[in-house]
Amino acid sequence: MDTTAHGPEAATPASGPWPIRLTDVTVRYPNGVVGLRGVSLAIEAGEMVSVVGLSGSGKSTLVRTVNGLVPVTSGTVQVGPYRVDQLRGRRLRHVRGSIGMIFQGFNLADRASVYHNVLVGRFSHTPTWKTLLGLTSREDREMVMSALDSVGMLEKVWGRAGALSGGQKQRVAIARALSQEPQVMLADEPVASLDPPTAHAVMSDLRRVNTERDLTVLVNLHLMDLARQYTTRMIGLRDGELVYDGPASSATDADFEAIYGRPIQTRDTLGQ
Amino acid sequence: MTVSQLSVPTRPRTWPRVAVVVGVIVAITVLTTLPALGGVNIDLGAIARNWGNGSERIGKLFPPDPSILPRTWKPLLETLEMALVGTAIAALLALPLSQWAARPTNPSRSRIVVRGVLNVIRAVPDLVYATILVAMVGVGALPGVITLVLFDLGIVVKLVSEAIDSADASYMEAGRAAGGTQTQINRVTAQPQTWPVFASQVLYSLELNVRISSILGLVGAGGLGRLIDEVRGFYRYGALSMIIIEILVVVIAIEIASNVLRKRLR
Amino acid sequence: MTVLTATRAPAITRAPSRPRRLGVRAAQLLVGAVVLASALHLDIGWSDLAQLPADLRHYLGLMFAHPDWSRLPGAFYQTWVSVSMAWVGALLGVVLSTLLGIPAAAGVGPLWVRLPLRGVFAVLRAVPEVIIAIIILTVTGLTPFTGALALAIGGIGTHGKWTYETIEAVPPGTAEAVRAAGGNLLEVARWGLWTQASPELMSLALYRFEINVRTSAILGLIGVGGVGDLLTGYTQYRQWDAVGVLIIVIVVVTMVIDGISGAIRRRIMRGARTRDVDRSS
C-alpha cells in the first residue's frame, strides 16, 4: 500500500480533499464487543465511498474511527496529513474541524435555533472564550449563512431546529458540517430516518458536496440501491470485517448477499 | 371444560412481601414513639389538659388584627427583596454548576465532586444555615440572602442536572465531531436546550424562597420573621394571624404568577 | 463555490433579519432592574460583603478544624429525636393527605368537595411549618409531639396536592374497564386507581419523610426539641466546635436517610414499571 505521499510530516494542504487510510484497524469496546477486526482500507482524495452492511456490522464504528469519536484499539488511521489514532485533546479537535459529519438522528439541539446549530460547525475555528461570551465574528456569520443557503435552508435560519421536518433537519445538519469548511465528509446512515423522496434529495445533496465542494465523502448505508446510485465505490462490512471493496454501480445482487450473509429482502432497497 | 381440567399457574404469593413492608413500618413507628428512646411521646392527655387555655389563645387568632399591617410593609418588602436577590444569585451560579454536575455536559470526573458538594449543601436545612450565619455575620438581610442562595443551589442544580442527564443529548456527539470543546457545546447548544427546565426550576425556587424568607427572621435573618417572633412573644395572636394571612396572600400570588410564566415558557 | 452562488448576492445579505423580540428584551431589562434595585435597597453594607469571605473562613475553621467530638453522643441522640418527629409526622401526614387527597381528585369526588379541599391544601402549602408549630404549641406545649403534628398538618398541603395529581395522572383505561365490568365507586378506587397509583404514592410518602427530616431540624429551632434545639443553644453560647459536630451529624444522617429512602423509592418505581411490562406482554 502506498502511504508515502501523505506521511505525518506532510504539510497541511490549504484546501482540497483528504485521503483516508486505515491500516489493520481493530476496535474493541470497553464492554468487550468487537466493532472492527483488522480492517485495512485506502480511500483516495475526492472519492465518494459507501460503507454497506447490516446493523451491527461495524459501519458506524468505521466512520467514527475516522474522526476519532471511537478510539481504535490497534492499527493506524491516517486522514490527510494526520494520524488520528495518535491525536488527543486540542489537536484532535483541530483535525475534527476539518472532518464534517452527519448522523442518522440529525443530532440537532431541538430547542436551539437553526443558526446556533450551524454555528456548532465553527467551534474548531473559534476560541472557547469567544463562544462563551457569545461573540461571533462576521466571518463565522457569513459562513453559517452561506452554508444554510447552499442547502436551501436560509429562510429558516432563526427558527427552532425542533420545528423542522426530518429532511429539513438533515439539511441543517449538512449545513452544520459544511460550515466547518471540511476536507472530508462522514455520514452515518444519513437517510435511515427519512422517507424515500427526502432520502433521495439528501443523497443528491451529499453527491453535490462531493463534486462541487470537492470533498472526500464516506457514507454508511444499509440500502443497496442508494449505494449503487450515488456512490462510486463500495465497502462491504460483515461482523466487523471487510468483505467487499469495489465499484458500487457494478456490485451484483450476489455481492450484496455475500455482504449481508443472507438472501436479499425487500427492505434492503429504498425503491423509487 | 370443568375447572379441574384447567392448569392454573400457581398464584405468585405477594403477601410475604406486604407483611415485611407493613412489619418494617410498624417497627419504625414503635421505635420512634418510645419516649424512653428519645422518640415522640404521643401525649394526647397533654392536649386534653392544655385544651382550656390553649384553645382560648388559638381563639384569639380570630379576628385578625389589621392594626399591625402598617408595621408589616417594610419587613414584607425586605422578605420579597431577599427572596428575589437570593434567587437571582443562585440562578447565576446554578447555570454553570448544573452543567458541571450532569454527565452529558461534563463527562469528566469533576462532575462527582460537584455533585458531592451539592449533596452536602442540600443536607443542611435552610433555617440551620440562617441560625449559624446570623451568629457569624450578625443579624440582618445578609445571612438571609446567603441562606436562600445555598438552599436554591441545592435544589436547582440537582433538578436541572438530573433533567440534563435524562434528556436526549445526541447533539453533543455532533459538537464533538465538529471539533468543539465541551464548554463551547454547552454554551451554544446545551444551554438553550435546558433553558425551559432551568427557568422553571428557578421560578419554583423563587416560590419556595418567599415562603422561607418570611420565617428567616425568627432566627434573626431579616424579613417578616422578626415581626412574627415579636408578636408571638407578646401573645398578640390577632396580629399573628394577620401576618400569616399576609404571607399567604403573597405566597399564593407569587405561585399563580410563576405558574402563568411557566406555561409561557413551553 | 458554485457558479450559482457566485452570481447572487452573498447569503448573509439575503438572510432574513434576526427577529427582534422587543417584548422579551424589555422583560429581561425589567427583571434585571428589579433585582438590582432590590439588592441595593437591602440593608447589606459593602463592608460586610468585603468582610464575608474572611469571616466564613474564620468560623468554618472554628467549627471544623477541631470539632468537639465529646458532643457526638448528644448530637446523635437529639438527631434521633428529630428523625422520630419526622417519621411520625410523615406517617400522620400521609394518612391524612391520602384520606383528603383521594376525594380531591377529579373523577373521584364531586366539585363541591374538590374545591374546598384544594383550597385547604393551597393554604397549608403557603404557611411554613414553623408557623403551624407556633400556633399548635399553645395546646400541645414545646414537645416533639408538637413538631410531629406540625409536620403532619403542614405536609397535608403539598402531599394532598401530590396525591390528587397522582390519581388524576392514572390513565383512565383501567378505571373505565372496572366501571364497564359493573364495579361501584369503591371497586373502581381499589382496582382501577389504587393498583396504578400506589407505587407512585408510596414513593411520594417516603419522599415526604426525607423532606421532614430536614424540616424537623428547623422546628427544633423554636424549641420543640431535637437537633435544632441543641443548635440554638450551641450558637447562642458560641460553642463553634460543638456546632461543627452537630452539622457533621446532620449532614451524615440526612445523607444516609436520603440514600436508603432513595434506593427504596427507585426500587418501588422500577417494580411498578416491570409489572406494567408484564401486563402488556
Side-chain angles (χ1 to χ4, degrees), chain A residues 142 145-146 149 154-155 158 212, chain C residues 2 11 14-19:
Chain A
E142 276 172 3
M145 295 304 177
S146 68
D149 193 33
L154 191 56
E155 285 307 306
W158 300 115
E212 292 182 8
Chain C
T2 61
R14 283 178 295 112
S17 56
R18 192 175 200 153

Side-chain angles (χ1 to χ4, degrees), chain C residues 246-268:
Chain C
L246 213 51
I247 297 295
I248 292 170
V249 171
I250 291 178
V251 167
V252 169
V253 169
T254 309
M255 286 177 75
V256 166
I257 289 178
D258 279 6
I260 296 172
S261 171
I264 299 175
R265 281 196 285 137
R266 271 192 297 279
R267 220 182 124 174
I268 292 175

Side-chain angles (χ1 to χ4, degrees), chain A residues 30-229:
Chain A
N31 62 5
V33 174
V34 176
L36 292 177
R37 292 169 209 270
V39 171
S40 293
L41 182 62
I43 294 169
E44 298 309 319
E47 266 195 296
M48 177 137 183
V49 180
S50 54
V51 183
V52 179
L54 296 175
S55 68
S57 60
K59 304 195 297 282
S60 291
T61 307
L62 178 64
V63 297
R64 279 172 173 75
T65 58
V66 174
N67 62 2
L69 281 180
V70 170
V72 301
T73 313
S74 65
T76 66
V77 179
Q78 173 101 26
V79 182
Y82 299 103
R83 274 282 300 275
V84 171
D85 57 293
Q86 290 178 335
L87 297 177
R88 295 180 153 271
R90 177 199 293 264
R91 295 177 61 196
L92 179 59
R93 286 200 300 274
H94 176 72
V95 177
R96 282 175 180 170
S98 299
I99 306 174
M101 182 163 185
I102 62 175
F103 305 84
Q104 173 177 357
F106 321 128
N107 291 12
L108 299 178
D110 278 352
R111 289 196 151 272
S113 66
V114 167
Y115 173 78
H116 280 108
N117 271 292
V118 179
L119 198 59
V120 168
R122 301 303 302 163
F123 278 171
S124 68
H125 304 266
T126 316
T128 297
W129 65 269
K130 272 196 172 176
T131 310
L132 198 60
L133 295 178
L135 302 173
T136 316
S137 68
R138 186 177 164 79
E139 190 199 347
D140 283 352
R141 257 197 310 278
E142 276 172 3
M143 212 76 82
V144 167
M145 295 304 177
S146 68
L148 277 169
D149 193 33
S150 67
V151 293
M153 292 295 295
L154 191 56
E155 285 307 306
K156 303 277 188 187
V157 58
W158 300 115
R160 264 191 199 174
L164 303 176
S165 70
Q168 290 175 322
K169 281 182 182 171
Q170 198 56 295
R171 294 210 151 131
V172 170
I174 293 174
R176 174 176 62 197
L178 289 180
S179 78
Q180 292 175 231
E181 299 193 290
Q183 268 73 41
V184 174
M185 177 74 101
L186 307 174
D188 185 21
E189 291 279 6
V191 299
S193 308
L194 301 175
D195 60 79
T198 321
H200 279 291
V202 165
M203 286 308 296
S204 304
D205 281 348
L206 273 181
R207 191 161 61 183
R208 218 157 45 85
V209 163
N210 171 245
T211 55
E212 292 182 8
R213 296 228 178 192
D214 198 18
L215 300 182
T216 311
V217 176
L218 187 62
V219 50
N220 281 349
L221 293 169
H222 69 284
L223 299 172
M224 46 189 276
D225 51 344
L226 288 183
R228 277 181 183 147
Q229 189 179 342

Side-chain angles (χ1 to χ4, degrees), chain C residues 208-239:
Chain C
R208 171 60 33 200
F209 172 57
E210 289 172 44
I211 295 173
N212 279 0
V213 169
R214 290 171 171 78
T215 317
S216 66
I218 291 173
L219 290 177
L221 295 171
I222 61 160
V224 300
V227 74
D229 231 345
L230 205 55
L231 184 74
T232 325
Y234 288 161
T235 48
Q236 255 163 18
Y237 295 102
R238 308 205 139 243
Q239 292 168 303

